[in-house]
Amino acid sequence: MSTKDDEFLKELRATFKVEAEEHLQAIAAGLLELEKVPAPKVQRRLVETVFRAAHSLKGAARAVDFTEIESLCQSLEDVFATWKRQESGPSPKVLDTLHRALDAITAAMTTPDVSRDKDPQYDVSLLEQSLRQSATSAPTLLQEPVDVRPSSTVPAPAAAGPPVEPAATERSLPEQTVRIAVAKLDARLLAAEEMLTVKLTTGQRAADLRELADRCDAWRKEWAAVEPEVRVLHQTLDQPAPAGAAHRPVSELARLLEFFEGSLDQLKSLENKVAALNGAAEQDCHIVGKLVDDLLEDSKKLLLLPFATLAASFPKLVRDLCRDQGKEADLTIRGEEVEIDKRVLEEMKDPLIHLLRNCIDHGVETSEQRSRLGKPSRATITLAVSQINGSKVELRVSDDGTGIDTDKVKESAVKHGLISAEEARQLGDAEARALVFQPEVSTSPIITRLSGRGLGLAIVREKAEKLGGGVSVESEPRRGTSIRIVLPAMLATFRGILIEAEGRQFVVPTVHVERVARPKPEDIQTVEGRETISLSGRAVALVQLAEVLELPRPARNGEPPAAAPVVVLGAGEQRIAFAVDAVLDEQEVLVKPLRKPLARVRNLAGATVLGSGQVAPILNVADLLKSARKTAGAAARLATATKPAEAEAKSILVVEDSITSRMLLKSILESAGYKVKTAVDGAEAFTLLRTEHFDLVVSDVEMPRVNGFDLTAKIRADKKLAELPVVLVTALETREDRERGIDVGADAYIVKSSFDQSNLLETVRRLA
């Protein structure tokens, strides 16, 4: 095939992927509805829908030479055909097989063949064989409704009354649309956003003309103030000089007066011209501002998508996670029609997946546990979206599970050095719950593919704050947990407070500014070496913005810091007051992201161009709060702490019978700066542990003589080694194996199928 043909096929396949996603989504949604076993009439409509989608997908795959996908679609079509003929129908086993087939089709579009060949769940021949059996062995479809649902994630049907039509069939027909490449829409939006600079510049020019007009007016007033003296001088010059008086330079003085009088005429003319220009500039500023606002608003709406476009894949995700965990849950999605910026949806997809995984792994109990607690056997997970106002939306993920154990949260925070044991005892429940958003804090005793690393909720908070939003948590023991995320409905522009520190201008997002104040000297107190300020009867830490940003502080004899204005910034439960030189203005600004090599700079979220043409950094409030805490506590720490000696590298024992895995682990850990010694099995490892000092053990499980479970048990039984951290890295991933790892005392359990170098190093850093 020629290069030109290759390029053409590549373009066709890119188009196919977009179409395929729509068909796969339609099939998945239909299967999830069928799991609810609706009325026969509705069943027939759903079967027809999935059959047509599979048939269309098969034809599209054939056109772009995706033979694997075409073959799988043919098998899907065969199953759906038997359902249409009422020769067979869905059962939990059949539905599971069909969902695996959809996963295989998705993988075939996105994953290289080499990677899929190693995973049996993507074996096309096995799937086709299962589908052929499903087409002949499933129960008859169109009978009276009998609930054969597996651990579904869709809401349960009404308990009584006639069958309800699926939500999708109740919606009105969509508006007529055209398909445009997202890149083109992005380009148009960026061009429209750049017009904001024109608006700001126009406003600045109008302000400059206003200033010029004011100066002309002041000049005219000063001239008017001396005009009486000029008249007196004229009258004096007109009178004849007394006899014997000295000669006066009459002609020179007369010409000087004529010049001043002529200047007055010129000033009046200039003032009239400036006033006319000022009026025209004000009008132009108003017109351009309105046009830019309308253009930008309409352009941003081009990228508004209903939340349903993001949430469409979540029911299947939750269904599959429940099946893996042996739990049962229904997912209810509300507010699917709320429109949000496509870029916000893309940024929040992974955080929402983290939250749904947390609900299932940490929140939802097993059916047996729920029954013992008097709860319905099936848990309820709710994902609700609502419009707070014209510019903000709220995402709320809730479950009716166990709730957050604040004691475990405090214990984890203390273990990782985020707070002291004394501080933990003084924390209230709300403050303790807020700690779950800190990196490394986790209530899970083991690390699994779903959770346990203490990173998921930290990622959620980081993403929300990056988008200019915030996150909070509510929880009740045995009643459940609710995570609330507030985000801007649209990105790109936002309102910011323009401030000045050490002669430099910065922008702070208005959404994070709680208040601006100018405190009195008596409002500032020093508590434990830290400055605080009393605002509305509440003590808030006070820091100098210039110190936090590490700006040079020249000596000067200006007004004392106590008289300086402060900007109180907040994110989540944190509040800190920043002293600045001046608070200048609030205005709409266009965010310019930082580019490499400045892609991630501490305390900065981006930059903007002001109307004056000056570039002003946009401050990252989350970073500022972290930096401020360090700055505020530096003096107190220096007063009590001595400089520690340079820490020695931690020593780790790697226990692994496979030489390849042993050398891989050794290389990863040594590259990270650890001292590493190896052992080929648990027996050799225990001998080394009795004779040498190690800070941590990383061990395989399946080994000759003494396996990893037995080695961990021996370590815990030894008085000298009982506190030694142990990380098990193994191919055993069943629930029973993980639970056995907990029982013998392992601190972490990493499954090799989901092994990631960063996960290992993060775990070791936490435990060593």
Side-chain angles (χ1 to χ4, degrees):
M1 185 178 290
S2 67
T3 304
K4 186 175 181 180
D5 290 339
D6 287 340
E7 289 296 325
F8 180 64
L9 180 59
K10 186 177 180 180
E11 291 179 7
L12 282 180
R13 287 188 169 183
T15 304
F16 165 77
K17 288 181 180 180
V18 176
E19 179 184 358
E21 288 174 359
E22 296 176 357
H23 291 314
L24 289 171
Q25 185 174 311
I27 297 172
L31 294 179
L32 291 171
E33 290 291 338
L34 284 169
E35 286 184 354
K36 294 190 292 185
V37 194
K41 181 180 179 181
V42 179
Q43 287 180 330
R44 285 192 291 271
R45 183 184 299 112
L46 291 170
V47 170
E48 182 64 29
T49 298
V50 296
F51 177 83
R52 287 179 179 273
H55 181 76
S56 299
L57 182 58
K58 180 184 72 174
R62 183 188 303 120
V64 295
D65 201 23
F66 267 137
T67 55
E68 267 190 340
I69 297 177
E70 180 187 357
S71 179
L72 276 172
C73 288
Q74 180 62 60
S75 299
L76 290 175
E77 194 176 343
D78 291 341
V79 174
F80 298 152
T82 62
W83 292 1
K84 286 184 63 176
R85 296 192 297 269
Q86 302 182 30
E87 296 173 0
S88 64
S91 68
K93 183 177 179 181
V94 174
L95 291 167
D96 284 346
T97 303
L98 291 168
H99 280 291
R100 287 202 307 275
L102 297 183
D103 292 338
I105 292 173
T106 302
M109 292 191 301
T110 58
T111 310
D113 294 339
V114 177
S115 301
R116 288 188 286 112
D117 288 344
K118 299 178 181 179
D119 196 333
Q121 70 172 326
Y122 297 136
D123 191 313
V124 175
S125 59
L126 289 177
L127 280 170
E128 289 178 342
Q129 181 181 351
S130 298
L131 289 171
R132 283 194 295 271
Q133 294 173 352
S134 301
T136 57
S137 62
T140 303
L141 173 66
L142 302 176
Q143 304 294 331
E144 288 300 314
V146 177
D147 195 344
V148 295
R149 288 181 297 168
S151 299
S152 175
T153 62
V154 293
V164 180
E165 294 283 331
T169 63
E170 296 177 358
R171 296 172 183 165
S172 59
L173 292 174
E175 297 180 2
Q176 293 185 350
T177 60
V178 294
R179 181 170 291 169
I180 301 175
V182 172
K184 293 182 179 179
L185 286 178
D186 287 339
R188 298 287 71 74
L189 178 57
L190 288 173
E193 289 170 351
E194 292 296 336
M195 291 297 293
L196 181 60
T197 304
V198 177
K199 173 186 173 183
L200 295 175
T201 302
T202 304
Q204 183 64 43
R205 298 299 171 264
D208 293 342
L209 282 171
R210 280 197 301 273
E211 182 184 357
L212 182 58
D214 291 341
R215 293 177 64 180
C216 288
D217 183 58
W219 187 10
R220 182 182 55 77
K221 289 179 179 178
E222 290 178 3
W223 181 266
V226 300
E227 193 171 6
E229 284 79 1
V230 173
R231 286 199 298 270
V232 171
L233 186 56
H234 265 296
Q235 293 171 0
T236 303
L237 290 175
D238 290 340
Q239 295 175 1
H247 173 70
R248 294 181 300 183
V250 178
S251 59
E252 291 83 354
L253 191 54
R255 284 197 299 271
L256 182 59
L257 290 175
E258 289 176 2
F259 170 76
F260 280 122
E261 290 173 346
S263 296
L264 177 59
D265 294 336
Q266 292 289 340
L267 173 59
K268 291 179 179 178
S269 175
L270 177 61
E271 187 178 19
N272 292 335
K273 184 65 174 177
V274 170
L277 287 174
N278 183 42
E282 293 282 0
Q283 185 177 3
D284 291 345
C285 181
H286 175 74
I287 294 173
V288 170
K290 182 68 167 60
L291 290 174
V292 170
D293 288 344
D294 291 346
L295 174 61
L296 188 56
E297 191 70 17
D298 292 342
S299 297
K300 286 192 287 189
K301 287 179 180 177
L302 292 175
L303 291 183
L304 288 180
L305 296 175
F307 183 73
T309 59
L310 174 66
S313 62
F314 289 164
K316 185 178 185 304
L317 168 72
V318 174
R319 177 192 187 278
D320 294 342
L321 292 175
C322 282
R323 299 291 279 187
D324 291 342
Q325 292 281 298
K327 298 178 179 180
E328 297 183 355
D330 294 326
L331 175 64
T332 301
I333 302 177
R334 299 176 184 152
E336 293 177 286
E337 73 285 351
V338 176
E339 292 189 327
I340 305 175
D341 192 314
K342 177 184 75 72
R343 295 163 296 181
V344 174
L345 294 177
E346 290 172 349
E347 288 288 333
M348 291 307 300
K349 182 175 182 179
D350 286 344
L352 288 175
I353 289 174
H354 278 299
L355 292 178
L356 293 174
R357 284 177 171 168
N358 267 13
C359 288
I360 296 167
D361 201 39
H362 292 306
V364 172
E365 312 94 334
T366 63
S367 299
E368 295 78 12
Q369 292 171 328
R370 293 179 65 85
S371 297
R372 287 198 299 269
L373 294 170
K375 295 182 177 183
S377 60
R378 300 179 67 82
T380 299
I381 300 173
T382 304
L383 173 55
V385 187
S386 59
Q387 194 92 31
I388 298 179
N389 52 44
S391 61
K392 292 182 181 179
V393 293
E394 176 189 281
L395 309 181
R396 189 180 286 270
V397 181
S398 309
D399 65 67
D400 62 349
T402 60
I404 295 176
D405 188 330
T406 54
D407 290 335
K408 288 185 178 180
V409 172
K410 294 178 186 179
E411 180 183 340
S412 180
V414 171
K415 180 179 179 181
H416 295 101
L418 297 174
I419 57 175
S420 66
E422 179 61 28
E423 289 173 328
R425 285 190 289 270
Q426 296 176 359
L427 287 180
D429 286 344
E431 295 169 316
R433 286 194 296 268
L435 289 172
V436 299
F437 297 109
Q438 296 292 330
E440 302 179 345
V441 173
S442 175
T443 58
S444 176
I446 60 175
I447 293 176
T448 69
R449 287 186 296 175
L450 278 187
S451 59
R453 299 182 178 89
L455 299 176
L457 291 179
I459 291 173
V460 173
R461 186 191 66 175
E462 181 181 336
K463 287 286 188 181
E465 291 176 349
K466 178 183 176 183
L467 293 170
V471 60
S472 59
V473 59
E474 301 169 4
S475 182
E476 292 184 47
R478 297 190 178 185
R479 297 287 299 273
T481 301
S482 179
I483 305 291
R484 178 177 181 262
I485 306 172
V486 177
L487 297 167
M490 292 186 286
L491 283 185
T493 60
F494 73 96
R495 297 201 67 80
I497 304 292
L498 186 61
I499 59 177
E500 185 175 293
E502 295 302 331
R504 296 172 172 85
Q505 292 186 353
F506 302 91
V507 175
V508 182
T510 301
V511 68
H512 292 304
V513 178
E514 290 208 346
R515 63 183 296 183
V516 174
R518 188 179 292 273
K520 300 176 182 178
E522 57 268 24
D523 292 331
I524 300 177
Q525 304 291 331
T526 301
V527 180
E528 297 180 355
R530 304 180 182 185
E531 282 192 329
T532 63
I533 182 175
S534 177
L535 295 174
S536 302
R538 178 184 178 187
V540 179
L542 174 64
V543 296
Q544 300 290 325
L545 179 64
E547 286 186 28
V548 176
L549 297 178
E550 300 178 14
L551 300 177
R553 302 293 304 275
R556 56 182 178 178
N557 296 320
E559 62 180 1
V566 298
V567 180
V568 181
L569 302 182
E573 301 296 323
Q574 305 173 51
R575 302 290 181 275
I576 293 180
F578 292 82
V580 299
D581 294 343
V583 178
L584 303 175
D585 191 14
E586 182 191 18
Q587 62 184 39
E588 190 175 25
V589 296
L590 174 63
V591 181
K592 296 283 189 179
L594 300 177
R595 304 297 184 187
K596 291 182 179 180
L598 302 176
R600 180 67 177 95
V601 178
R602 181 167 52 92
N603 297 325
L604 298 185
T608 188
V609 179
L610 304 176
S612 62
Q614 179 182 348
V615 176
I618 298 172
L619 298 179
N620 183 319
V621 173
D623 279 4
L624 272 183
L625 295 174
K626 293 177 186 176
S627 301
R629 287 196 300 271
K630 296 177 182 178
T631 302
R637 288 195 300 272
L638 288 174
T640 58
T642 58
K643 185 177 180 181
E646 185 175 351
E648 294 184 3
K650 296 295 180 71
S651 180
I652 298 176
L653 176 62
V654 172
V655 191
E656 172 65 73
D657 61 328
S658 166
I659 186 172
T660 303
S661 298
R662 190 163 64 243
M663 290 302 100
L664 173 63
L665 291 170
K666 185 173 186 292
S667 174
I668 291 172
L669 293 169
E670 286 182 338
S671 299
Y674 296 101
K675 292 186 200 176
V676 180
K677 199 159 190 175
T678 61
V680 298
D681 58 32
E684 181 184 356
F686 195 71
T687 300
L688 286 170
L689 289 170
R690 297 297 297 272
T691 58
E692 298 182 32
H693 170 75
F694 293 95
D695 297 294
L696 182 136
V697 174
V698 177
S699 175
D700 186 20
V701 170
E702 298 177 297
M703 298 181 294
R705 297 203 291 174
V706 177
N707 65 32
F709 290 143
D710 294 337
L711 172 62
T712 306
K714 287 168 70 81
I715 291 172
R716 294 291 173 256
D718 189 288
K719 291 183 179 180
K720 294 182 178 179
L721 302 174
E723 299 300 320
L724 182 65
V726 178
V727 178
L728 296 179
V729 182
T730 174
L732 302 177
E733 56 180 323
T734 66
R735 187 177 187 85
E736 291 76 15
D737 290 322
R738 294 197 298 269
E739 290 177 350
R740 186 179 177 189
I742 296 176
D743 293 338
V744 298
D747 295 277
Y749 192 102
I750 300 178
V751 179
K752 287 183 178 179
S753 63
S754 59
F755 177 82
D756 182 89
Q757 175 175 326
S758 62
N759 293 339
L760 171 65
L761 293 177
E762 179 67 20
T763 303
V764 169
R765 188 182 69 79
R766 287 168 49 188
L767 298 175

